[in-house]
Amino acid sequence: NAGVMQNPRHLVRRRGQEARLRCSPMKGHSHVYWYRQLPEEGLKFMVYLQKENIIDESGMPKERFSAEFPKEGPSILRIQQVVRGDSAAYFCASSPPVIYRGRTYGYTFGSGTRLTVV
Amino acid sequence: AQTVTQSQPEMSVQEAETVTLSCTYDTSENNYYLFWYKQPPSRQMILVIRQEAYKQQNATENRFSVNFQKAAKSFSLKISDSQLGDTAMYFCAFIVQVNRDDKIIFGKGTRLHILP
């Protein structure tokens, strides 16, 4: 029973390039969350998705950032025209549907993707 | 707005000692879950302990226990008999309700060093 899988683990991009971060949730989990962690900071919520649906994107920058969770395949966080300030660790977490969460509730996190913009 | 505050950016204790990490939060809701997550140097986020707000009894997981004071909106983590492997960032977090779509809010973390 694999956990949340994120790839790549490390990603280096030059300014102006595009970064694509992938997240495969745990088996049976239909909800995906993306968080960003700047150096020496906590995790800041970015976006919450279900299959083919964005539930909450209140933490996403309005420009250059987008996220999707298609019917088939992993969730993708896409950053266009990256800048130095985008350098951070990006974490994906997953959870089961609301009705199944119960008392054991808590996200399962992936190991993160460290994005470095040079 | 819901917020989580961890007032201790960094702490150090000797191995085998007991250490308490503080956390306060703010919400107008009555039902919520509270969590402590550990992030070792490997960067993996590991759930340490959870507490349901409607339960008065403090949660315990082996050497980890919490002091949950709902009226004061305080949720501290106590680590007993600390071990070198406890060295990590510790994040306090909460989610307002689990029976509706919402997201976990994290504090900025406390960096804990266990000294040999």
Side-chain angles (χ1 to χ4, degrees):
Chain A
N1 185 17
V4 177
M5 304 302 291
Q6 285 189 253
N7 66 81
R9 183 108 165 108
H10 301 277
L11 182 62
V12 179
R13 284 287 177 266
R14 296 187 182 279
R15 279 179 294 174
Q17 290 185 320
E18 178 180 287
R20 291 171 70 90
L21 287 62
R22 295 175 185 77
C23 169
S24 296
M26 273 190 72
K27 188 176 180 181
H29 285 192
S30 57
H31 296 221
V32 165
Y33 311 80
W34 285 94
Y35 286 80
R36 177 164 62 176
Q37 185 179 29
L38 295 169
E40 304 302 315
E41 293 279 328
L43 276 72
K44 292 287 178 64
F45 168 77
M46 298 182 75
V47 63
Y48 168 21
L49 310 105
Q50 294 176 22
K51 287 280 186 182
E52 300 184 285
N53 198 16
I54 295 176
I55 304 301
D56 182 348
E57 56 181 348
S58 58
M60 285 276 274
K62 293 288 185 282
E63 296 178 351
R64 302 188 298 109
F65 285 73
S66 63
E68 62 176 7
F69 189 16
K71 188 176 180 180
E72 300 291 336
S75 176
I76 305 288
L77 178 67
R78 184 180 175 206
I79 311 172
Q80 295 178 292
Q81 299 176 327
V82 296
V83 300
R84 287 253 172 89
D86 296 333
S87 295
Y90 292 83
F91 286 89
C92 171
S94 72
S95 70
V98 170
I99 61 171
Y100 296 125
R101 289 176 188 170
R103 293 183 177 181
T104 60
Y105 182 65
Y107 295 169
T108 301
F109 278 87
S111 297
T113 293
R114 181 172 295 283
L115 172 65
T116 302
V117 180
V118 298
Chain B
Q2 285 107 20
T3 59
V4 179
T5 301
Q6 294 180 249
S7 59
Q8 305 149 311
E10 196 160 359
M11 298 181 71
S12 297
V13 296
Q14 294 292 137
E15 190 177 7
E17 288 185 347
T18 294
V19 60
T20 298
L21 282 60
S22 64
C23 172
T24 58
Y25 58 93
D26 188 26
T27 180
S28 57
E29 299 282 344
N30 196 45
N31 294 321
Y32 47 87
Y33 274 80
L34 294 155
F35 309 92
W36 278 96
Y37 279 87
K38 169 185 178 181
Q39 187 181 43
S42 67
R43 215 171 64 208
Q44 181 71 45
M45 292 289 288
I46 302 165
L47 180 63
V48 174
I49 199 165
R50 66 171 64 82
Q51 173 81 39
E52 296 147 296
Y54 64 86
K55 283 190 174 179
Q56 291 188 336
Q57 186 174 6
N58 290 323
T60 299
E61 289 287 341
N62 301 314
R63 297 182 295 107
F64 298 87
S65 61
V66 297
N67 182 4
F68 174 45
Q69 302 290 326
K70 191 172 183 179
K73 295 180 181 174
S74 170
F75 183 61
S76 61
L77 174 70
K78 185 171 84 170
I79 306 174
S80 304
D81 186 26
S82 56
Q83 301 174 359
L84 297 178
D86 296 333
T87 292
M89 282 288 286
Y90 286 82
F91 294 100
C92 179
F94 85 106
I95 188 166
V96 172
Q97 271 187 325
V98 296
N99 58 349
R100 72 180 197 207
D101 285 320
D102 213 328
K103 69 268 190 184
I104 290 180
I105 307 296
F106 287 86
K108 290 193 172 184
T110 295
R111 184 175 297 282
L112 177 64
H113 302 275
I114 307 300
L115 307 173

